[in-house]
PDB file of all heavy atoms in Angstrom:
ATOM      1  N   TYR A   1     -33.448  23.339  22.184  1.00  0.00           N
ATOM      2  CA  TYR A   1     -33.810  22.636  23.410  1.00  0.00           C
ATOM      3  C   TYR A   1     -34.941  23.387  24.108  1.00  0.00           C
ATOM      4  O   TYR A   1     -34.879  24.605  24.291  1.00  0.00           O
ATOM      5  CB  TYR A   1     -32.600  22.522  24.334  1.00  0.00           C
ATOM      6  CG  TYR A   1     -31.623  21.473  23.883  1.00  0.00           C
ATOM      7  CD1 TYR A   1     -30.835  21.668  22.751  1.00  0.00           C
ATOM      8  CD2 TYR A   1     -31.491  20.266  24.574  1.00  0.00           C
ATOM      9  CE1 TYR A   1     -29.955  20.698  22.308  1.00  0.00           C
ATOM     10  CE2 TYR A   1     -30.604  19.286  24.143  1.00  0.00           C
ATOM     11  CZ  TYR A   1     -29.839  19.518  23.006  1.00  0.00           C
ATOM     12  OH  TYR A   1     -28.967  18.544  22.582  1.00  0.00           O
ATOM     13  N   TYR A   2     -35.944  22.632  24.510  1.00  0.00           N
ATOM     14  CA  TYR A   2     -37.120  23.185  25.172  1.00  0.00           C
ATOM     15  C   TYR A   2     -37.283  22.560  26.557  1.00  0.00           C
ATOM     16  O   TYR A   2     -37.004  21.385  26.748  1.00  0.00           O
ATOM     17  CB  TYR A   2     -38.393  22.865  24.370  1.00  0.00           C
ATOM     18  CG  TYR A   2     -38.430  23.399  22.973  1.00  0.00           C
ATOM     19  CD1 TYR A   2     -37.890  22.681  21.907  1.00  0.00           C
ATOM     20  CD2 TYR A   2     -39.031  24.628  22.692  1.00  0.00           C
ATOM     21  CE1 TYR A   2     -37.930  23.172  20.614  1.00  0.00           C
ATOM     22  CE2 TYR A   2     -39.074  25.119  21.390  1.00  0.00           C
ATOM     23  CZ  TYR A   2     -38.520  24.383  20.365  1.00  0.00           C
ATOM     24  OH  TYR A   2     -38.571  24.873  19.079  1.00  0.00           O
ATOM     25  N   CYS A   3     -37.784  23.346  27.500  1.00  0.00           N
ATOM     26  CA  CYS A   3     -38.178  22.772  28.776  1.00  0.00           C
ATOM     27  C   CYS A   3     -39.699  22.869  28.907  1.00  0.00           C
ATOM     28  O   CYS A   3     -40.326  23.749  28.317  1.00  0.00           O
ATOM     29  CB  CYS A   3     -37.486  23.451  29.949  1.00  0.00           C
ATOM     30  SG  CYS A   3     -37.814  25.203  30.161  1.00  0.00           S
ATOM     31  N   ALA A   4     -40.252  21.949  29.651  1.00  0.00           N
ATOM     32  CA  ALA A   4     -41.689  21.870  29.828  1.00  0.00           C
ATOM     33  C   ALA A   4     -41.997  21.377  31.234  1.00  0.00           C
ATOM     34  O   ALA A   4     -41.158  20.722  31.854  1.00  0.00           O
ATOM     35  CB  ALA A   4     -42.296  20.924  28.799  1.00  0.00           C
ATOM     36  N   ALA A   5     -43.190  21.684  31.727  1.00  0.00           N
ATOM     37  CA  ALA A   5     -43.552  21.313  33.089  1.00  0.00           C
ATOM     38  C   ALA A   5     -44.954  20.729  33.144  1.00  0.00           C
ATOM     39  O   ALA A   5     -45.824  21.065  32.328  1.00  0.00           O
ATOM     40  CB  ALA A   5     -43.462  22.526  34.015  1.00  0.00           C
ATOM     41  N   THR A   6     -45.150  19.846  34.103  1.00  0.00           N
ATOM     42  CA  THR A   6     -46.458  19.253  34.323  1.00  0.00           C
ATOM     43  C   THR A   6     -46.593  18.858  35.782  1.00  0.00           C
ATOM     44  O   THR A   6     -45.599  18.565  36.453  1.00  0.00           O
ATOM     45  CB  THR A   6     -46.658  18.015  33.431  1.00  0.00           C
ATOM     46  OG1 THR A   6     -47.976  17.491  33.652  1.00  0.00           O
ATOM     47  CG2 THR A   6     -45.655  16.921  33.760  1.00  0.00           C
ATOM     48  N   ARG A   7     -47.859  18.850  36.242  1.00  0.00           N
ATOM     49  CA  ARG A   7     -48.149  18.291  37.561  1.00  0.00           C
ATOM     50  C   ARG A   7     -49.085  17.098  37.448  1.00  0.00           C
ATOM     51  O   ARG A   7     -49.481  16.514  38.458  1.00  0.00           O
ATOM     52  CB  ARG A   7     -48.776  19.349  38.478  1.00  0.00           C
ATOM     53  CG  ARG A   7     -47.776  20.374  38.959  1.00  0.00           C
ATOM     54  CD  ARG A   7     -48.226  21.091  40.216  1.00  0.00           C
ATOM     55  NE  ARG A   7     -49.487  21.781  40.070  1.00  0.00           N
ATOM     56  CZ  ARG A   7     -50.021  22.527  41.018  1.00  0.00           C
ATOM     57  NH1 ARG A   7     -49.414  22.651  42.182  1.00  0.00           N
ATOM     58  NH2 ARG A   7     -51.160  23.123  40.830  1.00  0.00           N
ATOM     59  N   ARG A   8     -49.432  16.737  36.205  1.00  0.00           N
ATOM     60  CA  ARG A   8     -50.376  15.628  36.013  1.00  0.00           C
ATOM     61  C   ARG A   8     -49.734  14.278  36.283  1.00  0.00           C
ATOM     62  O   ARG A   8     -50.399  13.306  36.639  1.00  0.00           O
ATOM     63  CB  ARG A   8     -50.934  15.675  34.592  1.00  0.00           C
ATOM     64  CG  ARG A   8     -51.883  16.836  34.357  1.00  0.00           C
ATOM     65  CD  ARG A   8     -52.548  16.692  33.020  1.00  0.00           C
ATOM     66  NE  ARG A   8     -51.698  17.132  31.925  1.00  0.00           N
ATOM     67  CZ  ARG A   8     -51.622  16.501  30.763  1.00  0.00           C
ATOM     68  NH1 ARG A   8     -52.268  15.374  30.563  1.00  0.00           N
ATOM     69  NH2 ARG A   8     -50.876  16.997  29.795  1.00  0.00           N
ATOM     70  N   LEU A   9     -48.428  14.197  36.077  1.00  0.00           N
ATOM     71  CA  LEU A   9     -47.719  12.945  36.276  1.00  0.00           C
ATOM     72  C   LEU A   9     -46.438  13.213  37.040  1.00  0.00           C
ATOM     73  O   LEU A   9     -45.920  14.326  37.011  1.00  0.00           O
ATOM     74  CB  LEU A   9     -47.379  12.295  34.928  1.00  0.00           C
ATOM     75  CG  LEU A   9     -48.561  11.874  34.049  1.00  0.00           C
ATOM     76  CD1 LEU A   9     -48.055  11.447  32.677  1.00  0.00           C
ATOM     77  CD2 LEU A   9     -49.316  10.731  34.713  1.00  0.00           C
ATOM     78  N   ILE A  10     -45.918  12.162  37.678  1.00  0.00           N
ATOM     79  CA  ILE A  10     -44.646  12.306  38.384  1.00  0.00           C
ATOM     80  C   ILE A  10     -43.521  12.549  37.377  1.00  0.00           C
ATOM     81  O   ILE A  10     -42.634  13.361  37.589  1.00  0.00           O
ATOM     82  CB  ILE A  10     -44.357  11.053  39.225  1.00  0.00           C
ATOM     83  CG1 ILE A  10     -45.377  10.944  40.365  1.00  0.00           C
ATOM     84  CG2 ILE A  10     -42.926  11.099  39.770  1.00  0.00           C
ATOM     85  CD1 ILE A  10     -45.242   9.661  41.158  1.00  0.00           C
ATOM     86  N   ARG A  11     -43.562  11.829  36.273  1.00  0.00           N
ATOM     87  CA  ARG A  11     -42.568  11.985  35.203  1.00  0.00           C
ATOM     88  C   ARG A  11     -43.189  11.481  33.919  1.00  0.00           C
ATOM     89  O   ARG A  11     -44.116  10.676  33.944  1.00  0.00           O
ATOM     90  CB  ARG A  11     -41.289  11.218  35.502  1.00  0.00           C
ATOM     91  CG  ARG A  11     -41.428   9.717  35.362  1.00  0.00           C
ATOM     92  CD  ARG A  11     -40.071   9.026  35.474  1.00  0.00           C
ATOM     93  NE  ARG A  11     -39.520   9.130  36.809  1.00  0.00           N
ATOM     94  CZ  ARG A  11     -39.833   8.319  37.795  1.00  0.00           C
ATOM     95  NH1 ARG A  11     -40.712   7.363  37.612  1.00  0.00           N
ATOM     96  NH2 ARG A  11     -39.273   8.469  38.976  1.00  0.00           N
ATOM     97  N   SER A  12     -42.689  11.958  32.801  1.00  0.00           N
ATOM     98  CA  SER A  12     -43.171  11.471  31.516  1.00  0.00           C
ATOM     99  C   SER A  12     -42.158  11.771  30.434  1.00  0.00           C
ATOM    100  O   SER A  12     -41.481  12.808  30.481  1.00  0.00           O
ATOM    101  CB  SER A  12     -44.521  12.117  31.157  1.00  0.00           C
ATOM    102  OG  SER A  12     -44.953  11.680  29.883  1.00  0.00           O
ATOM    103  N   ARG A  13     -42.095  10.894  29.450  1.00  0.00           N
ATOM    104  CA  ARG A  13     -41.282  11.112  28.260  1.00  0.00           C
ATOM    105  C   ARG A  13     -42.120  11.628  27.094  1.00  0.00           C
ATOM    106  O   ARG A  13     -41.583  11.943  26.043  1.00  0.00           O
ATOM    107  CB  ARG A  13     -40.587   9.810  27.838  1.00  0.00           C
ATOM    108  CG  ARG A  13     -39.560   9.297  28.825  1.00  0.00           C
ATOM    109  CD  ARG A  13     -38.794   8.131  28.232  1.00  0.00           C
ATOM    110  NE  ARG A  13     -37.662   7.731  29.055  1.00  0.00           N
ATOM    111  CZ  ARG A  13     -36.632   7.031  28.607  1.00  0.00           C
ATOM    112  NH1 ARG A  13     -36.594   6.641  27.342  1.00  0.00           N
ATOM    113  NH2 ARG A  13     -35.634   6.703  29.424  1.00  0.00           N
ATOM    114  N   ALA A  14     -43.404  11.726  27.298  1.00  0.00           N
ATOM    115  CA  ALA A  14     -44.310  12.127  26.217  1.00  0.00           C
ATOM    116  C   ALA A  14     -44.608  13.616  26.265  1.00  0.00           C
ATOM    117  O   ALA A  14     -45.037  14.147  27.304  1.00  0.00           O
ATOM    118  CB  ALA A  14     -45.615  11.339  26.313  1.00  0.00           C
ATOM    119  N   ARG A  15     -44.436  14.271  25.131  1.00  0.00           N
ATOM    120  CA  ARG A  15     -44.695  15.701  25.064  1.00  0.00           C
ATOM    121  C   ARG A  15     -46.137  16.032  25.412  1.00  0.00           C
ATOM    122  O   ARG A  15     -46.415  17.089  26.016  1.00  0.00           O
ATOM    123  CB  ARG A  15     -44.374  16.221  23.660  1.00  0.00           C
ATOM    124  CG  ARG A  15     -42.922  16.136  23.271  1.00  0.00           C
ATOM    125  CD  ARG A  15     -42.719  16.632  21.855  1.00  0.00           C
ATOM    126  NE  ARG A  15     -43.036  18.046  21.740  1.00  0.00           N
ATOM    127  CZ  ARG A  15     -43.933  18.528  20.908  1.00  0.00           C
ATOM    128  NH1 ARG A  15     -44.633  17.718  20.128  1.00  0.00           N
ATOM    129  NH2 ARG A  15     -44.162  19.825  20.850  1.00  0.00           N
ATOM    130  N   SER A  16     -47.039  15.168  25.083  1.00  0.00           N
ATOM    131  CA  SER A  16     -48.456  15.442  25.301  1.00  0.00           C
ATOM    132  C   SER A  16     -48.820  15.535  26.780  1.00  0.00           C
ATOM    133  O   SER A  16     -49.888  16.047  27.127  1.00  0.00           O
ATOM    134  CB  SER A  16     -49.308  14.370  24.627  1.00  0.00           C
ATOM    135  OG  SER A  16     -48.993  13.100  25.171  1.00  0.00           O
ATOM    136  N   ASN A  17     -47.971  15.051  27.649  1.00  0.00           N
ATOM    137  CA  ASN A  17     -48.266  15.091  29.087  1.00  0.00           C
ATOM    138  C   ASN A  17     -47.790  16.367  29.762  1.00  0.00           C
ATOM    139  O   ASN A  17     -47.973  16.520  30.966  1.00  0.00           O
ATOM    140  CB  ASN A  17     -47.638  13.883  29.791  1.00  0.00           C
ATOM    141  CG  ASN A  17     -48.380  12.594  29.484  1.00  0.00           C
ATOM    142  OD1 ASN A  17     -49.602  12.605  29.302  1.00  0.00           O
ATOM    143  ND2 ASN A  17     -47.660  11.497  29.406  1.00  0.00           N
ATOM    144  N   TYR A  18     -47.199  17.248  29.008  1.00  0.00           N
ATOM    145  CA  TYR A  18     -46.704  18.503  29.572  1.00  0.00           C
ATOM    146  C   TYR A  18     -47.638  19.648  29.198  1.00  0.00           C
ATOM    147  O   TYR A  18     -48.049  19.790  28.054  1.00  0.00           O
ATOM    148  CB  TYR A  18     -45.284  18.785  29.083  1.00  0.00           C
ATOM    149  CG  TYR A  18     -44.288  17.825  29.695  1.00  0.00           C
ATOM    150  CD1 TYR A  18     -44.091  16.566  29.159  1.00  0.00           C
ATOM    151  CD2 TYR A  18     -43.569  18.182  30.832  1.00  0.00           C
ATOM    152  CE1 TYR A  18     -43.204  15.673  29.740  1.00  0.00           C
ATOM    153  CE2 TYR A  18     -42.673  17.304  31.410  1.00  0.00           C
ATOM    154  CZ  TYR A  18     -42.503  16.047  30.854  1.00  0.00           C
ATOM    155  OH  TYR A  18     -41.619  15.170  31.442  1.00  0.00           O
ATOM    156  N   ASP A  19     -47.975  20.454  30.197  1.00  0.00           N
ATOM    157  CA  ASP A  19     -48.953  21.519  30.011  1.00  0.00           C
ATOM    158  C   ASP A  19     -48.327  22.880  29.749  1.00  0.00           C
ATOM    159  O   ASP A  19     -48.965  23.759  29.180  1.00  0.00           O
ATOM    160  CB  ASP A  19     -49.849  21.624  31.246  1.00  0.00           C
ATOM    161  CG  ASP A  19     -50.590  20.332  31.508  1.00  0.00           C
ATOM    162  OD1 ASP A  19     -51.244  19.834  30.563  1.00  0.00           O
ATOM    163  OD2 ASP A  19     -50.512  19.809  32.625  1.00  0.00           O
ATOM    164  N   PHE A  20     -47.113  23.058  30.203  1.00  0.00           N
ATOM    165  CA  PHE A  20     -46.474  24.373  30.111  1.00  0.00           C
ATOM    166  C   PHE A  20     -45.132  24.232  29.409  1.00  0.00           C
ATOM    167  O   PHE A  20     -44.347  23.336  29.731  1.00  0.00           O
ATOM    168  CB  PHE A  20     -46.282  24.971  31.513  1.00  0.00           C
ATOM    169  CG  PHE A  20     -47.535  24.974  32.335  1.00  0.00           C
ATOM    170  CD1 PHE A  20     -47.735  24.027  33.323  1.00  0.00           C
ATOM    171  CD2 PHE A  20     -48.526  25.913  32.095  1.00  0.00           C
ATOM    172  CE1 PHE A  20     -48.892  24.009  34.073  1.00  0.00           C
ATOM    173  CE2 PHE A  20     -49.694  25.909  32.841  1.00  0.00           C
ATOM    174  CZ  PHE A  20     -49.878  24.956  33.824  1.00  0.00           C
ATOM    175  N   TRP A  21     -44.887  25.133  28.469  1.00  0.00           N
ATOM    176  CA  TRP A  21     -43.672  25.061  27.655  1.00  0.00           C
ATOM    177  C   TRP A  21     -42.988  26.417  27.618  1.00  0.00           C
ATOM    178  O   TRP A  21     -43.648  27.468  27.579  1.00  0.00           O
ATOM    179  CB  TRP A  21     -44.029  24.645  26.216  1.00  0.00           C
ATOM    180  CG  TRP A  21     -44.435  23.219  26.119  1.00  0.00           C
ATOM    181  CD1 TRP A  21     -45.661  22.680  26.394  1.00  0.00           C
ATOM    182  CD2 TRP A  21     -43.601  22.127  25.740  1.00  0.00           C
ATOM    183  NE1 TRP A  21     -45.633  21.326  26.202  1.00  0.00           N
ATOM    184  CE2 TRP A  21     -44.380  20.953  25.803  1.00  0.00           C
ATOM    185  CE3 TRP A  21     -42.267  22.019  25.347  1.00  0.00           C
ATOM    186  CZ2 TRP A  21     -43.877  19.695  25.486  1.00  0.00           C
ATOM    187  CZ3 TRP A  21     -41.771  20.774  25.037  1.00  0.00           C
ATOM    188  CH2 TRP A  21     -42.567  19.622  25.104  1.00  0.00           C
ATOM    189  N   GLY A  22     -41.672  26.364  27.615  1.00  0.00           N
ATOM    190  CA  GLY A  22     -40.912  27.571  27.411  1.00  0.00           C
ATOM    191  C   GLY A  22     -40.467  27.683  25.967  1.00  0.00           C
ATOM    192  O   GLY A  22     -40.546  26.724  25.203  1.00  0.00           O
ATOM    193  N   ARG A  23     -40.001  28.849  25.604  1.00  0.00           N
ATOM    194  CA  ARG A  23     -39.388  29.005  24.296  1.00  0.00           C
ATOM    195  C   ARG A  23     -38.059  28.274  24.300  1.00  0.00           C
ATOM    196  O   ARG A  23     -37.405  28.165  25.320  1.00  0.00           O
ATOM    197  CB  ARG A  23     -39.163  30.484  23.980  1.00  0.00           C
ATOM    198  CG  ARG A  23     -40.455  31.243  23.766  1.00  0.00           C
ATOM    199  CD  ARG A  23     -40.178  32.662  23.326  1.00  0.00           C
ATOM    200  NE  ARG A  23     -41.405  33.388  23.023  1.00  0.00           N
ATOM    201  CZ  ARG A  23     -41.446  34.630  22.580  1.00  0.00           C
ATOM    202  NH1 ARG A  23     -40.336  35.296  22.364  1.00  0.00           N
ATOM    203  NH2 ARG A  23     -42.608  35.214  22.344  1.00  0.00           N
ATOM    204  N   GLY A  24     -37.674  27.789  23.168  1.00  0.00           N
ATOM    205  CA  GLY A  24     -36.462  27.018  23.088  1.00  0.00           C
ATOM    206  C   GLY A  24     -35.209  27.858  23.137  1.00  0.00           C
ATOM    207  O   GLY A  24     -35.223  29.074  22.956  1.00  0.00           O
ATOM    208  N   THR A  25     -34.107  27.171  23.381  1.00  0.00           N
ATOM    209  CA  THR A  25     -32.797  27.804  23.332  1.00  0.00           C
ATOM    210  C   THR A  25     -31.922  26.981  22.396  1.00  0.00           C
ATOM    211  O   THR A  25     -31.893  25.749  22.471  1.00  0.00           O
ATOM    212  CB  THR A  25     -32.179  27.927  24.740  1.00  0.00           C
ATOM    213  OG1 THR A  25     -30.937  28.616  24.668  1.00  0.00           O
ATOM    214  CG2 THR A  25     -31.984  26.572  25.407  1.00  0.00           C
ATOM    215  N   GLN A  26     -31.238  27.659  21.504  1.00  0.00           N
ATOM    216  CA  GLN A  26     -30.478  26.974  20.452  1.00  0.00           C
ATOM    217  C   GLN A  26     -29.127  26.488  20.976  1.00  0.00           C
ATOM    218  O   GLN A  26     -28.378  27.260  21.590  1.00  0.00           O
ATOM    219  CB  GLN A  26     -30.252  27.922  19.274  1.00  0.00           C
ATOM    220  CG  GLN A  26     -29.378  27.343  18.162  1.00  0.00           C
ATOM    221  CD  GLN A  26     -30.080  26.269  17.365  1.00  0.00           C
ATOM    222  OE1 GLN A  26     -31.224  26.436  16.931  1.00  0.00           O
ATOM    223  NE2 GLN A  26     -29.408  25.138  17.164  1.00  0.00           N
ATOM    224  N   VAL A  27     -28.851  25.230  20.708  1.00  0.00           N
ATOM    225  CA  VAL A  27     -27.537  24.646  21.002  1.00  0.00           C
ATOM    226  C   VAL A  27     -26.932  24.201  19.681  1.00  0.00           C
ATOM    227  O   VAL A  27     -27.551  23.418  18.949  1.00  0.00           O
ATOM    228  CB  VAL A  27     -27.659  23.451  21.971  1.00  0.00           C
ATOM    229  CG1 VAL A  27     -26.315  22.744  22.109  1.00  0.00           C
ATOM    230  CG2 VAL A  27     -28.167  23.920  23.328  1.00  0.00           C
ATOM    231  N   THR A  28     -25.749  24.691  19.396  1.00  0.00           N
ATOM    232  CA  THR A  28     -25.048  24.325  18.177  1.00  0.00           C
ATOM    233  C   THR A  28     -23.668  23.806  18.547  1.00  0.00           C
ATOM    234  O   THR A  28     -22.911  24.490  19.246  1.00  0.00           O
ATOM    235  CB  THR A  28     -24.912  25.510  17.218  1.00  0.00           C
ATOM    236  OG1 THR A  28     -26.211  26.042  16.936  1.00  0.00           O
ATOM    237  CG2 THR A  28     -24.259  25.079  15.913  1.00  0.00           C
ATOM    238  N   VAL A  29     -23.373  22.597  18.086  1.00  0.00           N
ATOM    239  CA  VAL A  29     -22.086  21.972  18.383  1.00  0.00           C
ATOM    240  C   VAL A  29     -21.338  21.787  17.072  1.00  0.00           C
ATOM    241  O   VAL A  29     -21.818  21.086  16.167  1.00  0.00           O
ATOM    242  CB  VAL A  29     -22.272  20.622  19.096  1.00  0.00           C
ATOM    243  CG1 VAL A  29     -20.913  20.053  19.494  1.00  0.00           C
ATOM    244  CG2 VAL A  29     -23.167  20.776  20.315  1.00  0.00           C
TER     245      VAL A  29
END
């Protein structure tokens, strides 16, 4: 799971609209 941030849009489902990304964290169920 990754989190990402943007100020270009109010909200977006598209990865390309996010400018900043964190490293992921593993979730195993």
Side-chain angles (χ1 to χ4, degrees):
Y1 284 71
Y2 300 87
C3 61
T6 182
R7 286 201 302 184
R8 289 189 280 140
L9 297 171
I10 293 174
R11 73 172 68 84
S12 178
R13 294 188 171 200
R15 295 178 65 237
S16 60
N17 287 327
Y18 290 83
D19 300 308
F20 308 102
W21 288 82
R23 291 185 176 182
T25 183
Q26 176 72 48
V27 172
T28 304
V29 185

